[in-house]
Short mmCIF file of all heavy atoms in Angstrom, two decimals:
data_model
loop_
_atom_site.label_atom_id
_atom_site.label_comp_id
_atom_site.label_asym_id
_atom_site.label_seq_id
_atom_site.Cartn_x
_atom_site.Cartn_y
_atom_site.Cartn_z
N GLY S 69 9.22 0.22 2.98
CA GLY S 69 8.48 -0.99 3.16
C GLY S 69 8.04 -1.22 4.58
O GLY S 69 7.43 -2.26 4.87
N ARG S 70 8.27 -0.24 5.61
CA ARG S 70 7.87 -0.54 7.04
C ARG S 70 6.34 -0.41 7.06
O ARG S 70 5.73 0.51 6.52
CB ARG S 70 8.54 0.45 7.89
CG ARG S 70 10.09 0.36 8.04
CD ARG S 70 10.54 1.34 8.99
NE ARG S 70 10.22 2.76 8.45
CZ ARG S 70 10.36 3.85 9.08
NH1 ARG S 70 10.76 3.90 10.38
NH2 ARG S 70 9.95 5.04 8.58
N LEU S 71 5.75 -1.38 7.82
CA LEU S 71 4.35 -1.26 8.13
C LEU S 71 4.08 -0.16 9.11
O LEU S 71 4.71 -0.07 10.06
CB LEU S 71 3.74 -2.59 8.55
CG LEU S 71 2.30 -2.73 8.73
CD1 LEU S 71 1.57 -2.64 7.34
CD2 LEU S 71 1.97 -4.03 9.35
N ALA S 72 3.04 0.61 8.92
CA ALA S 72 2.69 1.68 9.83
C ALA S 72 1.22 1.75 9.93
O ALA S 72 0.43 1.24 9.16
CB ALA S 72 3.18 3.06 9.26
N TYR S 73 0.76 2.32 11.11
CA TYR S 73 -0.64 2.46 11.43
C TYR S 73 -0.95 3.95 11.27
O TYR S 73 -0.25 4.77 11.79
CB TYR S 73 -0.87 2.02 12.91
CG TYR S 73 -2.21 2.43 13.52
CD1 TYR S 73 -3.38 1.85 13.10
CD2 TYR S 73 -2.33 3.50 14.28
CE1 TYR S 73 -4.63 2.11 13.60
CE2 TYR S 73 -3.56 3.93 14.76
CZ TYR S 73 -4.61 3.17 14.46
OH TYR S 73 -5.87 3.66 14.99
N ALA S 74 -1.95 4.22 10.38
CA ALA S 74 -2.31 5.58 10.18
C ALA S 74 -3.76 5.81 10.52
O ALA S 74 -4.64 5.15 10.11
CB ALA S 74 -2.13 5.96 8.68
N SER S 75 -3.97 6.78 11.41
CA SER S 75 -5.41 7.11 11.85
C SER S 75 -5.66 8.58 11.62
O SER S 75 -4.90 9.45 11.73
CB SER S 75 -5.62 6.80 13.29
OG SER S 75 -4.70 7.64 14.18
N GLU S 76 -6.91 8.78 11.06
CA GLU S 76 -7.38 10.15 10.79
C GLU S 76 -7.43 10.94 12.06
O GLU S 76 -7.96 10.36 13.04
CB GLU S 76 -8.61 10.15 10.07
CG GLU S 76 -8.55 9.63 8.59
CD GLU S 76 -9.85 9.73 7.85
OE1 GLU S 76 -10.72 10.45 8.24
OE2 GLU S 76 -9.95 9.00 6.77
N ILE S 77 -7.10 12.18 12.04
CA ILE S 77 -7.22 13.12 13.15
C ILE S 77 -8.69 13.57 13.22
O ILE S 77 -9.39 13.94 12.23
CB ILE S 77 -6.31 14.31 12.96
CG1 ILE S 77 -4.85 13.90 12.68
CG2 ILE S 77 -6.53 15.33 14.11
CD1 ILE S 77 -4.23 13.25 13.90
N ILE S 78 -9.20 13.46 14.42
CA ILE S 78 -10.52 13.97 14.65
C ILE S 78 -10.43 15.40 15.26
O ILE S 78 -9.92 15.73 16.31
CB ILE S 78 -11.23 13.06 15.74
CG1 ILE S 78 -11.31 11.64 15.24
CG2 ILE S 78 -12.68 13.61 16.10
CD1 ILE S 78 -11.85 10.63 16.37
N GLU S 79 -10.69 16.35 14.37
CA GLU S 79 -10.53 17.71 14.56
C GLU S 79 -11.31 18.27 15.72
O GLU S 79 -12.52 17.97 15.86
CB GLU S 79 -10.73 18.50 13.37
CG GLU S 79 -9.94 18.20 12.11
CD GLU S 79 -8.43 18.55 12.25
OE1 GLU S 79 -8.04 19.31 13.16
OE2 GLU S 79 -7.58 18.06 11.43
N ASN S 80 -10.72 19.07 16.48
CA ASN S 80 -11.40 19.92 17.58
C ASN S 80 -12.11 19.14 18.70
O ASN S 80 -13.00 19.50 19.29
CB ASN S 80 -12.38 20.84 16.99
CG ASN S 80 -11.80 21.85 15.98
OD1 ASN S 80 -10.69 22.40 16.36
ND2 ASN S 80 -12.34 22.08 14.79
N ASP S 81 -11.80 17.89 18.81
CA ASP S 81 -12.42 17.08 19.84
C ASP S 81 -11.57 17.16 21.19
O ASP S 81 -12.02 16.85 22.20
CB ASP S 81 -12.53 15.54 19.42
CG ASP S 81 -13.83 15.38 18.83
OD1 ASP S 81 -14.51 16.32 18.41
OD2 ASP S 81 -14.19 14.17 18.57
N GLY S 82 -10.29 17.61 21.12
CA GLY S 82 -9.44 17.66 22.30
C GLY S 82 -8.95 16.24 22.78
O GLY S 82 -9.25 15.30 22.20
N THR S 83 -8.28 16.27 23.95
CA THR S 83 -7.84 15.06 24.51
C THR S 83 -8.97 14.51 25.62
O THR S 83 -9.75 15.26 25.87
CB THR S 83 -6.55 15.31 25.28
OG1 THR S 83 -6.91 16.17 26.37
CG2 THR S 83 -5.51 15.80 24.40
N LEU S 84 -8.78 13.23 25.88
CA LEU S 84 -9.72 12.72 26.84
C LEU S 84 -9.73 13.57 28.15
O LEU S 84 -10.75 13.81 28.71
CB LEU S 84 -9.41 11.27 27.09
CG LEU S 84 -10.29 10.59 28.08
CD1 LEU S 84 -11.76 10.55 27.61
CD2 LEU S 84 -9.89 9.06 28.36
N SER S 85 -8.56 13.91 28.55
CA SER S 85 -8.49 14.74 29.81
C SER S 85 -9.23 16.12 29.66
O SER S 85 -9.76 16.60 30.70
CB SER S 85 -7.06 14.92 30.30
OG SER S 85 -6.33 15.68 29.37
N SER S 86 -9.24 16.67 28.59
CA SER S 86 -9.98 17.94 28.37
C SER S 86 -11.50 17.81 28.22
O SER S 86 -12.22 18.55 28.64
CB SER S 86 -9.44 18.74 27.22
OG SER S 86 -9.78 18.13 25.93
N LEU S 87 -11.81 16.57 27.78
CA LEU S 87 -13.29 16.20 27.46
C LEU S 87 -13.93 15.64 28.76
O LEU S 87 -15.13 15.88 28.98
CB LEU S 87 -13.41 15.25 26.41
CG LEU S 87 -13.09 15.69 24.98
CD1 LEU S 87 -13.16 14.50 24.07
CD2 LEU S 87 -14.03 16.85 24.60
N TRP S 88 -13.20 15.02 29.66
CA TRP S 88 -13.63 14.34 30.83
C TRP S 88 -14.56 15.20 31.71
O TRP S 88 -15.73 14.76 32.01
CB TRP S 88 -12.48 13.82 31.64
CG TRP S 88 -12.93 12.87 32.81
CD1 TRP S 88 -12.97 13.22 34.15
CD2 TRP S 88 -13.31 11.49 32.56
NE1 TRP S 88 -13.36 12.09 34.87
CE2 TRP S 88 -13.61 11.05 33.88
CE3 TRP S 88 -13.58 10.65 31.57
CZ2 TRP S 88 -14.10 9.75 34.12
CZ3 TRP S 88 -13.87 9.48 31.81
CH2 TRP S 88 -14.18 8.85 33.08
N PRO S 89 -14.19 16.41 32.00
CA PRO S 89 -15.10 17.17 32.90
C PRO S 89 -16.42 17.59 32.32
O PRO S 89 -17.40 17.80 33.12
CB PRO S 89 -14.28 18.59 33.06
CG PRO S 89 -12.94 18.14 32.76
CD PRO S 89 -12.89 17.15 31.75
N ARG S 90 -16.53 17.44 30.97
CA ARG S 90 -17.87 17.79 30.29
C ARG S 90 -18.72 16.64 30.10
O ARG S 90 -19.87 16.68 29.73
CB ARG S 90 -17.56 18.33 28.91
CG ARG S 90 -16.79 19.72 28.97
CD ARG S 90 -16.62 20.36 27.62
NE ARG S 90 -16.48 19.49 26.54
CZ ARG S 90 -15.68 19.64 25.54
NH1 ARG S 90 -14.84 20.79 25.54
NH2 ARG S 90 -15.53 18.92 24.47
#
Side-chain angles (χ1 to χ4, degrees):
R70 293 180 301 168
L71 187 65
Y73 166 79
S75 59
E76 291 186 13
I77 303 298
I78 301 171
E79 300 289 347
N80 299 318
D81 271 8
T83 63
L84 181 57
S85 62
S86 68
L87 294 173
W88 190 257
R90 300 189 320 222

